[in-house]
Amino acid sequence: MTGQLYSHWVLGLKGLFKGVAGREGIMILRCKWRGRGRAGNVGVGMGLTVLFLPSPGLAYALLAGLPPVYGLYSSFYPVFVYFLFGTSRHISVGAFAVLSVMVGSVTEALVPSDSFLGPGNSSVNVSARDAARVEVASALSLLVGVFQIGLGLIHFGFVVTYLSEPLVRGYTTAASVQVLVSQLKHVFGLDPEDYSGPLSMIYILLDILWKLPKSNVSTIIVALVASVLLLAMKMINQKLDKKLPVPLPAELIMLIGATAISFGVGLNHKFGVGIVGDIPAGLMLPRIPDHHLFKNLMGNAFAMAVVGFAIAISLGKIFGMKHGYEVDNNQELIALGLSNFVGGFFHCFPISSSMSRSLVQEGSGGNTQIAGAISSLLILIVIVKVGELFNHLPKAILAVIVIINLKGMFLQFSDIKSLWKSNRVDLLIWLVTFVATILLNLDIGLAVAVGFALISVIFRTQLPHYSILGQVPDTDIYRDVTEYKEAKEVPGVKIFSCSATLYFANAEFYRQALKEKIGLDVDFLISKKKKLIKRQTWNAKKLPKGKKQKKNNAQKVSLDSSRSTGVNIKIDEMETGNAMEDGNAAKSVVSEKGSSALTLETLGLPQPNFHTLILDLGTLNFVDTVCIKTLKNIIRDFQEVEVNVYLAGCHGTMITQFESGNFFGDSITKGHLFVSIHDAVTFALKKSGSRTVKTVVGLSWWKHMQ
């Protein structure tokens, strides 16, 4: 059998975010297999190249306010746990910029440098401060894991549905600004004060600007040169993407070159350029985090648990849809939780899905978590043997790598323009999220953003689109008569529709919109009817029996003549307690005895120009007590003015909720409910028969005359 097998496995600087990819490091495994020959003669040639870049793990540790080696630990231990429990085949877990900044805000707030000043406030005891911050970060990782495991066990994975895309993009954009500000001190070689809480980023930025004259010129030059070279190499990768067999490992070249130059020239000793410092070789023994810290970390841990899960599940869902497999929300929560929980015992800070590394892994053909396991083994080699070679790496280089690779997040500012054109409510959510996160810090900002997004949903349901529906000729389709010229109102039937569910927050708006759309102030008409009946009853009681009978006879003649001539009773006659009012009073008394009933016509009140009102309830997805009360009041009021009310679009769940809420009674039965609008219209027309509705007096004109 003749055949040729050719396969590549490349985990490198490629992905959907070409400007972002590479933040987490590059591992390139390139394997070529060739089989040729006939009748079983097989020749195999294999070439292997392994390149690894640990810089982002080191850089993200600096974002978290920790020594760089802990970034490597956080890229090693959690990966193996997720390999065993995760359901996504493509995401790669590890340090993530947003979570690292959130960790940094907590460590700097609880363990400020001022608490470790030496005698005479001359210098900071860095080793003691870093040890205390590692304790905080480890405890935070453990708590994040506990929250995520707990949420997963109670099937709380749906919580991410409250994080809309504009909210997430606004939040990550604000976080990228915080990342930028946090790295400015390494770019300018400054040592600003530590601030925490609301407005802390503003204070840090002002402090950096105030101290700019004290910047280290050598550090700035190193940062500028590194920025230019890094951008140039990334541009080469973009321009020659199809021609290069593998992308240029820009960060790797920068890392090795900067470390060599720093060591050879002595940037730290001669020019005062800050360097990474000691990176211990080997692994540290596991340790139980300090439980006394938990009470101060609860709120931040919960926020990080939600944010980390939202990032991971969003990316996992994208890959799952693309490759045709399901990602279990709750299992992902448990997998991430176990990764963070175990990492808390091994000096790790909270992790999530590494966006750029996941995109690189998926784009290069990695279809299982074995790729992540292999990358973590290579990180182990760096931790044990190679890491100590980067002791002289300037911190400015790591800061530049982080800032340059934030390009993809800064491009999200273009959302402002696109959302302005498409949806300004989403734009408002984006802006509120961004501003709140910048001013109030990442944890409080997230709470404000979620709260505002939920409030915006309530406001949008309070002000939905109300419409009167008409029938498209010769069909059972009903559409808004103001939007569809072909749709015509059914004579004698008003069909009222609302685009949102009816519940306590919009019930009053619903009633008001109903009045405006159908052109009938039913409350005013009912009040006039009750006032007339009450007045006639009172007048009837004042008259002697003989006069009352005489008035009744006179009113009977008046009413008969009124009907025969087709002329309505004058308004001023009703207001002055004339013979008609007295006759109506007599009839009211008879009505109370059950002999007859008063109507709008006999009272001389204007009649509605329709006999049936149909409420389209197809948008209802739940029924609360206010909804039931509102519908009962509407049906009662319109029945009072001789208009039948039917409910259309009623599904089984709604009927069950109506029954539970005691909606049905003597005046409201299940005969008022219909599956579709067309069924309700057909029934209404059949019931009305040949009845033609004649408007005696236009209501608006009648009200005006009053």
Side-chain angles (χ1 to χ4, degrees):
M1 179 177 181
T2 304
Q4 182 176 7
L5 174 65
Y6 181 76
S7 66
H8 293 263
W9 182 14
V10 180
L11 180 55
L13 193 60
K14 279 188 176 182
L16 298 177
F17 296 117
K18 294 182 180 178
V20 183
R23 283 181 288 173
E24 326 312 325
I26 302 174
M27 178 186 69
I28 301 175
L29 293 175
R30 185 175 182 181
C31 306
K32 294 184 178 180
W33 301 80
R34 286 187 176 90
R36 64 183 67 178
R38 296 178 182 270
N41 296 325
V42 179
V44 178
M46 182 176 68
L48 176 65
T49 304
V50 178
L51 298 175
F52 178 75
L53 175 63
S55 62
L58 303 174
Y60 289 160
L62 292 180
L63 286 180
L66 306 175
V69 70
Y70 293 95
L72 299 179
Y73 296 155
S74 299
S75 300
F76 170 61
Y77 292 106
V79 176
F80 277 106
V81 180
Y82 186 84
F83 167 72
L84 297 174
F85 295 97
T87 60
S88 175
R89 305 171 191 169
H90 295 88
I91 68 171
S92 178
V93 297
F96 183 65
V98 174
L99 284 182
S100 299
V101 174
M102 295 178 77
V103 174
S105 65
V106 176
T107 56
E108 292 174 2
L110 296 182
V111 189
S113 299
D114 295 342
S115 302
F116 296 89
L117 292 174
N121 296 333
S122 57
S123 60
V124 177
N125 188 341
V126 177
S127 59
R129 181 202 64 187
D130 289 347
R133 288 183 174 180
V134 169
E135 284 288 337
V136 172
S138 300
L140 196 56
S141 180
L142 183 69
L143 272 182
V144 169
V146 169
F147 277 123
Q148 289 177 333
I149 294 172
L151 293 175
L153 291 176
I154 63 174
H155 290 238
F156 207 65
F158 69 90
V159 69
V160 294
T161 58
Y162 296 107
L163 303 179
S164 65
E165 183 179 358
L167 186 151
V168 172
R169 292 176 71 86
Y171 185 79
T172 54
T173 304
S176 66
V177 174
Q178 294 218 6
V179 171
L180 173 64
V181 172
S182 69
Q183 295 304 294
L184 291 179
K185 61 182 180 181
H186 300 303
V187 172
F188 293 101
L190 298 173
D191 188 19
E193 299 291 333
D194 291 331
Y195 296 94
S196 60
L199 301 179
S200 59
M201 195 198 77
I202 305 298
Y203 293 141
I204 293 173
L205 183 59
L206 292 176
D207 194 21
I208 290 174
L209 293 176
W210 181 259
K211 294 180 178 180
L212 273 181
K214 301 179 182 179
S215 300
N216 187 302
V217 178
S218 301
T219 302
I220 296 175
I221 293 174
V222 169
L224 288 175
V225 172
S227 300
V228 172
L229 293 177
L230 191 58
L231 286 172
M233 284 186 282
K234 287 185 175 293
M235 290 178 64
I236 292 173
N237 280 334
Q238 292 178 359
K239 296 292 183 182
L240 304 177
D241 182 39
K242 296 181 180 179
K243 297 181 180 180
L244 294 174
V246 292
L248 289 175
E251 284 84 356
L252 175 62
I253 296 172
M254 186 65 60
L255 185 72
I256 296 175
T259 303
I261 294 173
S262 175
F263 178 77
V265 177
L267 292 179
N268 179 248
H269 300 294
K270 295 182 179 180
F271 302 99
V273 176
I275 60 175
V276 169
D278 182 45
I279 299 180
L283 299 173
M284 298 180 65
L285 294 175
R287 181 177 177 181
I288 300 176
D290 186 2
H291 65 277
H292 296 98
L293 297 170
F294 291 168
K295 62 180 180 180
N296 297 322
L297 300 174
M298 289 291 184
N300 294 286
F302 184 79
M304 292 182 200
V306 174
V307 172
F309 173 62
I311 294 166
I313 197 62
S314 299
L315 205 57
K317 291 286 187 183
I318 292 173
F319 290 141
M321 292 176 62
K322 182 177 180 180
H323 296 278
Y325 64 90
E326 291 290 331
V327 177
D328 189 335
N329 289 6
N330 299 304
Q331 182 60 34
E332 283 297 294
L333 257 177
I334 295 174
L336 284 174
L338 288 172
S339 299
N340 282 307
F341 182 80
V342 173
F345 294 98
F346 290 92
H347 317 283
C348 301
F349 54 85
I351 56 91
S352 179
S353 170
S354 172
M355 188 177 297
S356 60
R357 192 164 63 190
S358 298
L359 293 168
V360 170
Q361 177 173 312
E362 187 268 343
S364 58
N367 290 317
T368 66
Q369 284 299 323
I370 295 177
I374 294 175
S375 67
S376 64
L377 289 176
L378 294 174
I379 293 176
L380 176 62
I381 296 174
V382 174
I383 294 173
V384 175
K385 294 294 182 182
V386 183
E388 57 187 351
L389 299 178
F390 298 107
N391 291 347
H392 293 275
L393 175 66
K395 291 183 179 179
I397 299 297
L398 295 177
V400 166
I401 291 174
V402 171
I403 293 172
I404 294 298
N405 286 310
L406 288 174
K407 174 186 173 183
M409 290 189 179
F410 288 134
L411 290 176
Q412 293 179 158
F413 278 109
S414 63
D415 291 349
I416 297 176
K417 181 179 179 180
S418 61
L419 290 175
W420 174 263
K421 295 179 179 179
S422 61
N423 192 315
R424 296 186 182 180
V425 176
D426 283 346
L427 172 61
L428 191 59
I429 293 174
W430 196 101
L431 292 174
V432 169
T433 302
F434 179 82
V435 173
T437 305
I438 291 291
L439 298 180
L440 304 177
N441 223 332
L442 293 164
D443 49 353
I444 302 177
L446 178 63
V448 171
V450 172
F452 182 80
L454 295 178
I455 291 174
S456 72
V457 173
I458 295 174
F459 275 111
R460 278 188 272 190
T461 59
Q462 281 187 315
L463 302 172
H465 177 66
Y466 298 103
S467 59
I468 295 294
L469 304 184
Q471 183 181 22
V472 178
D474 301 323
T475 68
D476 59 354
I477 299 173
Y478 295 83
R479 293 292 183 266
D480 187 351
V481 294
T482 61
E483 296 180 358
Y484 295 85
K485 295 181 179 179
E486 295 295 325
K488 303 298 181 182
E489 289 191 50
V490 179
V493 178
K494 290 286 185 181
I495 307 171
F496 180 72
S497 179
C498 173
S499 63
T501 190
L502 173 61
Y503 71 117
F504 70 92
N506 63 2
E508 189 59 35
F509 295 99
Y510 186 91
R511 286 177 56 88
Q512 188 63 34
L514 176 60
K515 293 180 187 179
E516 295 175 358
K517 287 294 182 179
I518 66 175
L520 175 64
D521 191 345
V522 65
D523 294 332
F524 177 80
L525 193 56
I526 291 174
S527 77
K528 294 301 296 182
K529 179 181 177 181
K530 291 182 177 180
K531 185 184 296 184
L532 285 173
I533 294 175
K534 183 178 180 180
R535 184 178 297 173
Q536 305 315 318
T537 304
W538 183 77
N539 288 337
K541 289 180 180 180
K542 290 177 60 178
L543 290 173
K545 291 184 177 180
K547 290 185 178 181
K548 187 181 297 183
Q549 182 64 34
K550 185 177 180 180
K551 290 290 185 179
N552 288 342
N553 295 333
Q555 178 59 29
K556 182 177 181 181
V557 174
S558 176
L559 285 174
D560 291 340
S561 62
S562 174
R563 294 193 189 98
S564 63
T565 58
V567 179
N568 189 42
I569 303 302
K570 294 182 180 180
I571 302 303
D572 56 352
E573 292 179 342
M574 293 190 300
E575 294 297 330
T576 57
N578 52 43
M580 176 186 172
E581 292 179 344
D582 293 339
N584 284 340
K587 288 191 175 184
S588 176
V589 174
V590 174
S591 174
E592 292 174 358
K593 294 180 180 180
S595 300
S596 62
L598 292 174
T599 64
L600 295 176
E601 185 178 3
T602 59
L603 287 171
L605 293 174
Q607 296 174 264
N609 61 353
F610 56 95
H611 56 75
T612 302
L613 171 65
I614 297 175
L615 302 179
D616 178 17
L617 303 183
T619 56
L620 255 65
N621 49 31
F622 69 92
V623 177
D624 64 0
T625 56
V626 177
C627 172
I628 291 177
K629 184 178 180 180
T630 301
L631 291 176
K632 291 175 73 172
N633 290 339
I634 290 173
I635 295 174
R636 181 202 62 201
D637 291 346
F638 277 90
Q639 287 177 345
E640 188 76 17
V641 296
E642 302 163 22
V643 174
N644 296 318
V645 181
Y646 301 117
L647 310 181
C650 302
H651 50 77
T653 304
M654 186 192 307
I655 296 174
T656 302
Q657 293 177 356
F658 279 150
E659 290 175 338
S660 301
N662 298 319
F663 177 71
F664 300 108
D666 294 335
S667 60
I668 305 175
T669 66
K670 291 184 179 180
H672 290 80
L673 275 56
F674 294 87
V675 175
S676 68
I677 297 175
H678 190 65
D679 290 340
V681 171
T682 303
F683 179 82
L685 294 177
K686 183 179 179 180
K687 183 177 181 181
S688 65
S690 59
R691 172 186 171 187
T692 59
V693 180
K694 180 164 50 177
T695 304
V696 182
V697 177
L699 181 62
S700 59
W701 177 86
W702 194 77
K703 287 174 63 179
H704 177 70
M705 291 297 295
Q706 299 300 306

